[in-house]
Amino acid sequence: MNAPAKSPTAGAPPGRGALRRNLPPARRFLAGRKRVLVRLGGWSLLESAQTFLGGYCLAQALDRGFLAEQTGTGLLWLAVAAASILGAGPPMRGVFTQLAELTEPLRDALVRRAVRQALRRAVTDPARTDDRADTGAVSRLTHQTEIVRDSFAGLVLTVRAFVFNAVGALIGLLALAPELLLVVLPPLVLGIALFLATLLPMASAQRSFLDADEAVAEGVGAVSAGHRDLVACGAQADAAERTGRLIDVAERTSRVLARWAALRTVALGVAGQLPVLLLLVSTPWLLRQGVTTGALAGALTYLLQALLPALHSMMTALGAAGTRLLVVVDRFQDATAAPAPPKVPNPDLGPDLDMVAEAGPPRGRRPSRTVPAVEVRAVTHAYGPDSPPVLEHLHLTVRRGEHIAVVGPSGIGKSTLAGVVSGLVAPDHGTVLLGGEPVTGTTTQDLADRRVLIPQQAYVFTGSVRDNLLHLRPDATSGELSHAIRVLGAEPLVHRLGGPDAVLDPRGLSHGERQLLALCRAYLSSAPLVLLDEATCHLDPAAEARAERAFAERASTDGARARDGALIVVAHRLSSARRADRVLVLDGTTPRFGTHEELLTSSALYRDLFGHWQHTPPPADS
């Protein structure tokens, strides 16, 4: 499970650090478009004039017209206000034209940056260029660039509308009666100041919430992808604990975000509702100061129709689109950061790699050598009551120290057999014995002590290399760890990762690298039986041969290590079958079990598979 990526300025709060990182490029972007900003301001000034005329004309229509019994004069002032409203169309068209001159270059720049990021990562980190495409780059190239463009356009529109509406409204209030500003301005300034004070903490809380939410999604996805491995290794409790910690962090960050959102609602109420309330409460005092009825009506018009709607829109946009814009743009900045230099290999690793594994007592009861490692007795299994059996009345005996390969067409039941033998799949009929003891009714820990299954999709988690390799046997010695790394040929990989104590990021590993680490983990396990369900399919033939030889020697070695185990390999290459002591051929009707030479004579399917495999050059060691 992957932890959220840390910000480049790890010491600063996420919101403040993001602001510091993004202000310089924002200034450069705006500085290169001064003419566009000037034209945008010019068109917006016309909107300020319309705001000014709306309240001022209403006040004059009342004071000089209708209340003075001059109906014609009142209608004339209203006609001027109506004309200003009708004349707002051309200025708005100019505003949107200049807005496009700002937003489209921003989007184009972000697209170019996303492409550069993806190309740089493909060159500097080729392990990510397998079928696990850089989905983050795809998201930045498509979805996130559109978020930035739309959020930026909305912010420009709402902030511009508030600023120029506020200019028109405040000038209008001053022209009507300066006393009006004494009532309206203090709560307005207080609410805006309170709102601005929540911006950076809100952005920080939202960034933390998004990171925690992504961590939960990645953690759950990793557990889902490796659930077979987790169950096979008895690591469900550990995985549940890791996932639970991620969920707890997400819960805490969501509560912090909710608290800041509540404070922002208070700020909106102070700035948006308190000025109107104070104006109504102060009406007797204002009338005693000589403020006219028309001026009071004009002030209410400025507040209710211009200033407060623009303020509400700006606060909503800054609170939602603003923080979202800051977080998404900061992710572009994070992604452009140069890749971390490779860690210096741990100098302590070198001597350990040449050490011979120390003796370690096996877990559990040591079965008698006369008892087979695996017995499959009349096993039948189907995936559904109406489905044909995948395995039908299958008998199989694997002797201690024996190396078995399982071959057959795709979908014939090879992985099902591995699941049945390992105890992950309960057969419909029949019995499976490991070391003479039945699999059914066995606890997860007992199964983990008796066998280890490595599926095709190897499971690794965020943590040190050492933690990953010792996951099934934390008490393994340094000599045993070094021996496993050396015998499986994982020394170059461990060195590249920075040594056993380096922090491992599963996203930076190829499928083959993950398989190699999982093989080292299985080799260190105390379980005598090893099942490799195409667990080497992403390794090259030489690395696959080395791994299978190591596990075969592990299964047959007696004396110091006293494993007395067995190895079962679900094969996908001819060389795997050739290296095995015996081969099980699953053909859906009559399985065949024998040596390579025997099966070439007795099994038509094996001869066909052998002919198919022969089309590709065999590895040198086969």
Side-chain angles (χ1 to χ4, degrees):
M1 288 169 280
N2 306 326
K6 291 187 178 181
S7 172
T9 55
R16 191 175 300 277
L19 187 62
R20 290 174 180 172
R21 286 190 295 275
N22 291 287
L23 271 181
R27 291 195 190 102
R28 291 193 298 268
F29 176 79
L30 296 177
R33 289 158 181 82
K34 292 180 179 178
R35 293 184 179 180
V36 177
L37 294 175
V38 170
R39 291 194 295 268
L40 181 63
W43 287 112
S44 298
L45 277 175
L46 298 178
E47 188 175 348
S48 294
Q50 186 263 327
T51 301
F52 170 80
L53 290 174
Y56 189 81
C57 290
L58 177 62
Q60 298 305 318
L62 288 174
D63 290 339
R64 298 187 181 185
F66 302 117
L67 295 179
E69 298 184 357
Q70 299 292 328
T71 305
T73 302
L75 292 175
L76 182 60
W77 279 107
L78 292 180
V80 174
S84 68
I85 295 174
L86 294 176
M92 289 304 298
R93 179 180 179 183
V95 165
F96 278 97
T97 300
Q98 300 309 312
L99 181 65
E101 295 292 330
L102 283 177
T103 56
E104 294 306 317
L106 175 63
R107 178 186 178 277
D108 295 342
L110 292 176
V111 168
R112 289 192 295 269
R113 179 176 294 180
V115 172
R116 287 197 301 269
Q117 292 167 6
L119 293 176
R120 184 186 301 117
R121 178 163 296 177
V123 172
T124 60
D125 194 2
R128 297 179 64 94
T129 59
D130 57 6
D131 58 332
R132 299 175 299 112
D134 188 356
T135 55
V138 175
S139 176
R140 286 190 293 273
L141 187 62
T142 55
H143 181 59
Q144 294 185 27
T145 54
E146 296 302 323
I147 288 179
V148 172
R149 182 183 66 171
D150 295 343
S151 300
F152 180 67
L155 282 177
V156 171
L157 279 178
T158 54
V159 173
R160 175 208 60 85
F162 171 73
V163 169
F164 287 96
N165 274 307
V167 169
L170 294 176
I171 292 177
L173 290 172
L174 183 63
L176 293 176
E179 293 84 357
L180 294 171
L181 291 177
L182 297 177
V183 177
V184 171
L185 205 54
L188 184 64
V189 173
L190 176 62
I192 293 176
L194 183 61
F195 170 76
L196 293 177
T198 66
L199 277 181
L200 291 181
M202 186 77 172
S204 174
Q206 187 153 8
R207 174 67 182 262
S208 299
F209 172 75
L210 289 176
D211 286 342
D213 186 63
E214 289 183 1
V216 170
E218 291 182 2
V220 172
V223 170
S224 177
H227 71 280
R228 289 183 60 195
D229 213 359
L230 292 170
V231 175
C233 300
Q236 302 99 310
D238 182 65
E241 182 182 357
R242 290 171 179 268
T243 307
R245 288 198 298 265
L246 293 176
I247 294 174
D248 291 340
V249 172
E251 181 185 8
R252 288 195 298 269
T253 56
S254 65
R255 289 181 178 179
V256 172
L257 185 63
R259 286 195 291 268
W260 283 110
L263 185 58
R264 177 166 293 172
T265 303
V266 172
L268 182 59
V270 171
Q273 307 299 327
L274 195 56
V276 177
L277 180 62
L278 289 180
L279 183 62
L280 295 176
V281 172
S282 304
T283 297
W285 177 81
L286 291 171
L287 291 174
R288 289 196 299 269
Q289 300 301 315
V291 178
T292 65
T293 303
L296 289 172
L300 284 173
T301 300
Y302 284 134
L303 289 175
L304 297 178
Q305 294 189 5
L307 193 58
L308 298 186
L311 175 64
H312 186 276
S313 297
M314 183 192 70
M315 285 188 169
T316 302
L318 283 176
T323 51
R324 184 170 62 246
L325 176 65
L326 184 62
V327 169
V328 175
V329 170
D330 191 50
R331 290 179 182 273
F332 278 87
Q333 295 290 338
D334 287 348
T336 57
K343 297 185 179 180
V344 178
N346 189 339
D348 295 333
L349 180 61
D352 287 344
L353 287 174
D354 296 327
M355 295 175 63
V356 179
E358 301 173 11
R363 295 183 184 177
R365 180 177 60 85
R366 172 85 177 274
S368 170
R369 288 186 59 87
T370 60
V371 178
V374 178
E375 286 183 272
V376 178
R377 299 176 179 174
V379 163
T380 298
H381 183 74
Y383 290 103
D386 299 325
S387 302
V390 180
L391 303 175
E392 186 172 9
H393 205 67
L394 177 65
H395 290 268
L396 175 66
T397 300
V398 180
R399 298 185 293 266
R400 293 195 169 275
E402 194 170 20
H403 175 188
I404 299 299
V406 182
V407 301
S410 177
I412 199 64
K414 301 186 295 295
S415 294
T416 301
L417 175 61
V420 168
V421 172
S422 64
L424 298 181
V425 177
D428 298 331
H429 304 285
T431 305
V432 177
L433 303 176
L434 299 184
E437 298 180 7
V439 170
T440 55
T442 306
T443 65
T444 302
Q445 185 58 53
D446 287 341
L447 280 176
D449 290 341
R450 293 159 61 184
R451 55 93 184 105
V452 57
L453 168 68
I454 303 298
Q456 180 177 352
Q457 299 297 328
Y459 172 71
V460 293
F461 54 86
T462 299
S464 69
V465 176
R466 186 186 304 274
D467 289 341
N468 272 272
L469 299 187
L470 300 182
H471 187 60
L472 300 181
R473 191 180 166 208
D475 59 346
T477 66
S478 298
E480 290 172 323
L481 174 63
S482 302
H483 177 74
I485 294 173
R486 177 177 57 81
V487 77
L488 287 166
E491 295 160 291
L493 173 60
V494 174
H495 278 300
R496 184 181 70 79
L497 294 174
D501 296 317
V503 176
L504 183 65
D505 182 3
R507 295 173 298 181
L509 298 175
S510 68
H511 286 304
E513 290 170 337
R514 289 202 297 268
Q515 285 187 336
L516 189 55
L517 292 176
L519 290 170
C520 291
R521 178 195 301 154
Y523 189 89
L524 285 166
S525 167
S526 295
L529 174 64
V530 176
L531 298 102
L532 304 182
D533 185 4
E534 298 196 23
T536 59
C537 62
H538 294 292
L539 300 181
D540 59 70
E544 180 183 64
R546 181 170 184 168
E548 291 182 2
R549 282 197 300 267
F551 277 101
E553 292 173 1
R554 173 190 186 274
S556 60
T557 299
D558 197 2
R561 297 181 66 87
R563 293 286 189 175
D564 285 341
L567 173 64
I568 298 178
V569 177
V570 175
H572 67 287
R573 289 190 181 107
L574 170 64
S575 54
S576 293
R578 293 289 300 272
R579 280 188 292 268
D581 298 324
R582 288 190 292 173
V583 181
L584 173 65
V585 183
L586 296 179
D587 60 4
T589 55
T590 307
R592 301 287 184 179
F593 191 32
T595 65
H596 170 72
E597 291 75 14
E598 292 170 347
L599 292 173
L600 286 177
T601 303
S602 62
S603 173
L605 175 60
Y606 189 74
R607 287 195 299 272
D608 292 341
L609 292 174
F610 181 80
H612 171 71
W613 279 330
Q614 285 288 75
H615 282 88
T616 57
D621 65 297
S622 64

